[in-house]
Structures are given as structure tokens and as C-alpha cells.
Amino acid sequence: MKLYERTIDTERIYEGKILNLRKDTVLLENGSQATREVIEHNGAVCIVAVDKDDKIYFVKQFRHPFQRVMLEVPAGKIDKGESPIDAAHRELEEEIGMKATEIIPMGEFYPSVAYLTEVIYMYIAKGLIPSQQHLDDDEFLKIEKMTLGQACDLIYTNEIKDGKTIAAILKASQLL
């Protein structure tokens, strides 16, 4: 088995501000054809921001697809032409009004490998310096802080459900 598919046709279904949708026809290794629906996303960053008292910054915001408020680490999409590290610096300031003197990469992960091209780059931010929060016009959030242990407890009790937050906090818990 080669575990390989070759795309033989692509149909663009939707092009939006945050994502695009395409339908690919692929040739399987056994000679059959199959359809793959793919959501294209430019990528995102998430940041575990640690203050001088070892407290972690979180944001609470309403998430429309789930019709509920979620507790998340600061995060956001990477703008076209922007590097992940630059996006991390920008999102940190936009969402929690902080700049960081040190940003440490923790790697990347793929939130849904079956149909989504999004890559999320995870960072730890230290040496936080107060700046100015710059929320988007359609963005409303509350900032909360807690210890890494408290955050892990909320993951284990299923109170934090956001995948990027779970991955970043658990990874940071091994690195901090």
C-alpha cells in the first residue's frame, strides 16, 4: 500500500473572507475515484501568555457555531502574507492588550485533518508589557487569568472544550 491519492479535478464551491470550500476528485491507489470536500484556511496562531505571577491569560467569547461562550487562549487567523510569529505578536496585542519580549514556538497542529487545511501555530509569550487592546468591530470578549494548574483542571473536567486551547495548554504544561 502506498497510502496516496492524486487529485484529478478541483471544483471551487465558495470563496469567503475566512475560508474557501472546494470539491476535489481524487484517484485512489486501487484505481477508483472518490470525492473530497476541503475547507481551505490560511492558518492561525494561539498564544499561552504568561504574566510575571505565572498566570495565564484567557479570553471568553461567544462562539456562534456552538451558541455558547468559550474559554480560550488568545488566538487568531494569520493574515495573507503574514508570518505566524508576526500574527502571534499582533493577536496578543489585539486580544489582551499585551506585547511580549519573548515568544517561544511550541510547534503546530492540524485541528481537523479529514477536511480542513488550517494549521495552528502554538506559542508561549513571556515578558508581557501592557499595551493597547485592538478588538475587531465584531469581536467582544472578556479577559480572565488563572494558573496553569487551574487551566489543566478545566481541561480535565471538560470545561475547556476548544481544541487549540487544550493542545496549547497541555503542551505548555510540559514546557513551563
Side-chain angles (χ1 to χ4, degrees), residues 11-151:
E11 178 186 354
R12 311 284 306 155
I13 306 294
Y14 173 78
E15 298 213 4
K17 179 179 153 185
I18 297 173
L19 56 88
N20 301 323
L21 174 62
R22 71 175 198 254
K23 184 167 73 171
D24 291 346
T25 302
V26 298
L27 182 63
L28 305 175
E29 60 185 78
N30 67 0
S32 299
Q33 291 184 9
T35 299
R36 304 290 187 238
E37 295 169 338
V38 180
I39 298 170
E40 300 169 334
H41 188 281
N42 201 43
V45 297
C46 66
I47 307 105
V48 177
V50 185
D51 72 10
K52 63 182 175 12
D53 298 321
D54 290 329
K55 297 281 179 108
I56 309 292
Y57 279 81
F58 287 86
V59 295
K60 269 188 167 180
Q61 57 188 320
F62 184 82
R63 291 302 196 177
H64 180 78
F66 295 97
Q67 292 292 298
R68 61 173 293 189
V69 173
M70 297 280 192
L71 184 65
E72 306 168 50
V73 293
K77 67 181 181 62
I78 299 169
D79 292 336
K80 191 171 182 132
E82 184 178 41
S83 72
I85 191 90
D86 288 341
H89 281 285
R90 178 182 50 75
E91 286 293 341
L92 189 64
E93 189 168 11
E94 284 181 8
E95 291 206 347
I96 65 167
M98 292 286 178
K99 291 185 179 187
T101 60
E102 183 181 14
I103 297 229
I104 305 159
M106 289 195 294
E108 59 190 58
F109 81 102
Y110 307 148
S112 187
V113 296
Y115 58 86
L116 179 62
T117 66
E118 181 180 28
V119 176
I120 299 179
Y121 299 86
M122 299 175 289
Y123 296 94
I124 294 172
K126 291 181 165 186
L128 301 181
I129 302 165
S131 181
Q132 185 68 35
Q133 190 180 42
H134 304 283
L135 297 176
D136 295 334
D137 291 338
D138 64 349
E139 192 173 33
F140 302 91
L141 54 84
K142 292 180 183 177
I143 297 171
E144 290 194 8
K145 293 195 303 185
M146 67 184 73
T147 67
L148 191 55
Q150 290 169 320

